[in-house]
Structure formats: C-alpha cells, structure tokens
Amino acid sequence: ILMASQLASGDLVSDRYASALYELAAEKKLVDPVLNDLSNLKNILKDNKELSLVVKSPLIPFSAVML
C-alpha cells in the first residue's frame, strides 16, 4: 500500500518530467509532434499490458528488458 507521501512524491517527479518535456518541446517548436508521440505511446501501453508492466515496474532491471 502506498502512503500519501509516496504518492505525492511520485506526482512531483512526474510533474517535473512533464514540465521539462513541455519546455523543451516548446523551445524547439515541437509541441504538437511530442503530444502526438505521447498519445501513440499511451495507446501502445494500453494495448500491450506486458509492456506496460515492464515500464511501470521498478523491480525489472533495464538489462533484463534489453535482450
């Protein structure tokens, strides 16, 4: 069970990444293509539950994913 502080911390990290990604995309004038890529990624993860679990799991090391 995640505690409220862990959830808030996770939200803070994701907010920072989202803000940085948006700022970079805006700086490069690529907001629409980046949003399109994120939408495609969302659909891929929705359709592929195994990939979604790999992406979400902190227990699976990167080396195990890259065969």
Side-chain angles (χ1 to χ4, degrees), residues 32-46:
D32 288 337
V34 168
L35 288 175
N36 187 49
D37 287 347
L38 290 172
S39 178
N40 288 336
L41 179 59
K42 177 184 168 187
N43 290 331
I44 290 168
L45 292 173
K46 183 180 76 173

Side-chain angles (χ1 to χ4, degrees), residues 3-65:
M3 299 181 80
S5 61
Q6 290 173 309
L7 290 173
S9 175
D11 289 344
L12 181 61
V13 171
S14 62
D15 287 349
R16 286 181 182 172
Y17 275 102
S19 293
L21 178 60
Y22 179 81
E23 286 178 28
L24 185 59
E27 179 182 307
K28 302 289 184 181
K29 299 186 182 350
L30 295 170
V31 172
D32 288 337
V34 168
L35 288 175
N36 187 49
D37 287 347
L38 290 172
S39 178
N40 288 336
L41 179 59
K42 177 184 168 187
N43 290 331
I44 290 168
L45 292 173
K46 183 180 76 173
D47 294 341
N48 190 328
K49 296 301 179 192
E50 288 179 353
L51 178 59
S52 181
L53 290 173
V54 168
V55 170
K56 291 178 183 178
S57 177
L59 301 177
I60 301 173
F62 183 72
S63 60
V65 176

